[in-house]
Amino acid sequence: MADSSFDIVSKVERQEVDNALNQAAKEISQRYDFKNVGASIDWSGEKILMQASSEERVKAILDVFETKLVKRGISLKVLDAGEPQLSGKEYKIFASIEEGISQDNAKKVAKIIRDEGPKGVKAQVQGDELRVSSKSRDDLQAVQALLKGKDFDFALQFVNYR
């Protein structure tokens, strides 16, 4: 019988992020506490730009956006938001969406699988994802449970379960 396998990836549905951003923009345009502070959130190339006239308001915009991401099922671990910066009379926060598992993080996950996972499970790095394979599907499910129990500083999804 052939080995069973699955891939560990860190991907984000761009459309879901866009929907969350649009919902946040709508809420910001309608909320009373954001009136007359120049509050806005929008795409700026590949980054998300939040701006307002005070540091507290721009942090509140980030909070609204994070709430919308969570409601759409997107982990906040993929959001890399900077500190508020004063630019002219406005405060700005640039945030980016992190995708893919870095080589270092992939090696950490592979080491955890090797050290704590069931015997006979192999993990190999393939670009920005990690392929985990084993003869036993039960072992693969045990690896998934093990990794779900760990707290990584990046989001993980399991795909291509065969």
Side-chain angles (χ1 to χ4, degrees), residues 1-5 122 134-138 140 161-162:
M1 190 172 113
D3 283 3
S4 299
S5 69
K122 298 184 286 295
S134 172
K135 293 202 181 305
S136 165
R137 287 179 170 238
D138 292 340
L140 293 179
Y161 188 74
R162 300 186 190 109

Side-chain angles (χ1 to χ4, degrees), residues 95-153:
S96 60
I97 304 297
E98 301 290 324
E99 285 192 298
I101 302 175
S102 71
Q103 291 291 329
D104 293 341
N105 289 336
K107 287 177 185 173
K108 285 181 199 170
V109 173
K111 183 171 174 19
I112 289 171
I113 293 170
R114 246 191 338 272
D115 295 347
E116 301 175 30
K119 300 291 178 220
V121 175
K122 298 184 286 295
Q124 60 199 83
V125 179
Q126 294 181 337
D128 61 351
E129 57 186 46
L130 192 69
R131 165 85 31 102
V132 180
S133 57
S134 172
K135 293 202 181 305
S136 165
R137 287 179 170 238
D138 292 340
D139 287 350
L140 293 179
Q141 290 175 341
V143 168
Q144 287 183 355
L146 168 74
L147 294 177
K148 284 179 183 174
K150 300 284 182 190
D151 186 30
F152 295 106
D153 57 351

Side-chain angles (χ1 to χ4, degrees), residues 55-66:
E55 188 172 352
E56 295 80 33
R57 290 295 95 205
V58 79
K59 285 182 178 177
I61 293 170
L62 178 61
D63 187 50
V64 168
F65 182 54
E66 287 175 345

Side-chain angles (χ1 to χ4, degrees), residues 28-70:
I28 288 164
S29 70
Q30 293 174 345
R31 270 184 35 182
Y32 177 75
D33 57 337
F34 287 118
K35 294 283 187 228
N36 301 324
V37 294
S40 68
I41 180 171
D42 205 357
W43 287 103
S44 173
E46 284 296 307
K47 293 187 180 271
I48 298 163
L49 171 64
M50 293 160 262
Q51 53 190 16
S53 61
S54 72
E55 188 172 352
E56 295 80 33
R57 290 295 95 205
V58 79
K59 285 182 178 177
I61 293 170
L62 178 61
D63 187 50
V64 168
F65 182 54
E66 287 175 345
T67 303
K68 299 300 180 190
L69 286 174
V70 169

